[in-house]
Amino acid sequence: MQSAKKNFKYYFLGLLFLATFFVWCAVFAETRDGLEVAFLDVGQGDAIFIQAPNGNQILIDAGQNKQVLRELAKMMPFYDRSIDMLIATHPDSDHIGGVPEILERFKVDYVLESGVNSESAVYGAVEKIIDEKNIKKIQVRRGMKINLDQNAYLLILFPDRDVDGMDSNDASIVAKLVYGNTSFLLTGDS
């Protein structure tokens, strides 16, 4: 009986070793080829995940709730807990409602926004987390070019002026994602 328990320990340790080996094989076997753009199913609102060939990741908006987390889990490896840039096109809850969850669960380097403010609780929560975590916040303007990779960049087309006081939908960030000869026009709610 004692021999069976001893053998079970070795079998269990061997199984753990094999599982660890296969997990690390999956991590190192991950390859990126080309630009990846995914329009996430978050119900009402928008969420767009962009991954450049070099691995830079951008999330544009985050839908109205934490459903964005389930969708990101389909796009990102389980061990990846960082997003290079989050773009909040405008402060309506169907675009930034999931942002607090993203900021709490991922390391986000930059948050880009149009500059239009909101009195909503979710906007206040987003601003509070940005301040607490000391995340760099940038107000975008037309002409800004964000290099994602050697052949990929995001060009800001709007806003071209101070948008505070404008209707939030009209003040949405409009950007053109360019990858070689392919481009996407990303309009928020404009």
Side-chain angles (χ1 to χ4, degrees):
M1 183 73 169
Q2 190 163 335
S3 177
K5 282 186 178 180
K6 190 174 184 181
N7 287 339
F8 177 75
K9 289 179 188 178
Y10 290 122
Y11 289 132
F12 185 71
L13 286 174
L15 183 64
L16 285 178
F17 175 75
L18 282 174
T20 303
F21 175 76
F22 285 118
V23 166
W24 283 108
C25 284
V27 168
F28 290 118
E30 180 185 345
T31 59
R32 293 181 177 91
D33 187 28
L35 181 74
E36 185 176 349
V37 179
F39 297 87
L40 306 179
D41 181 10
V42 292
Q44 175 68 29
D46 285 341
I48 303 166
F49 177 75
I50 301 168
Q51 183 165 291
N54 65 2
N56 284 333
Q57 298 168 326
I58 295 177
L59 180 64
I60 300 176
D61 292 333
Q64 63 184 352
N65 54 39
K66 64 182 179 180
Q67 185 174 345
V68 68
L69 297 174
R70 284 189 294 275
E71 295 300 312
L72 281 176
K74 297 174 187 176
M75 304 305 305
M76 298 172 68
F78 70 92
Y79 56 85
D80 188 353
R81 305 312 299 162
S82 67
I83 296 174
D84 298 297
M85 183 180 305
L86 188 145
I87 300 175
T89 59
H90 63 291
D92 289 355
S93 64
D94 62 333
H95 289 258
I96 66 165
V99 169
E101 294 288 335
I102 296 295
L103 295 177
E104 288 292 346
R105 297 176 188 225
F106 289 84
K107 179 187 177 298
V108 177
D109 294 330
Y110 297 93
V111 173
L112 278 63
E113 60 180 33
S114 65
V116 68
N117 295 314
S118 173
E119 300 292 324
S120 73
V122 70
Y123 180 77
V126 168
E127 292 297 308
K128 181 180 178 196
I129 296 168
I130 289 171
D131 288 341
E132 287 173 353
K133 292 193 166 209
N134 210 16
I135 299 170
K136 296 174 190 102
K137 187 168 75 169
I138 299 171
Q139 280 189 6
V140 299
R141 290 293 177 257
R142 180 181 13 201
M144 290 176 78
K145 183 178 178 181
I146 302 160
N147 291 315
L148 306 177
D149 196 356
Q150 185 175 358
N151 295 320
Y153 62 91
L154 195 65
L155 181 63
I156 303 299
L157 304 175
F158 188 82
D160 57 355
R161 61 186 177 283
D162 183 25
V163 293
D164 198 29
M166 286 180 69
D167 174 74
S168 62
N169 289 330
D170 294 339
S172 290
I173 293 173
V174 177
K176 182 178 181 180
L177 174 63
V178 179
Y179 178 62
N181 294 326
T182 304
S183 63
F184 297 82
L185 184 61
L186 307 167
T187 62
D189 273 350
S190 287

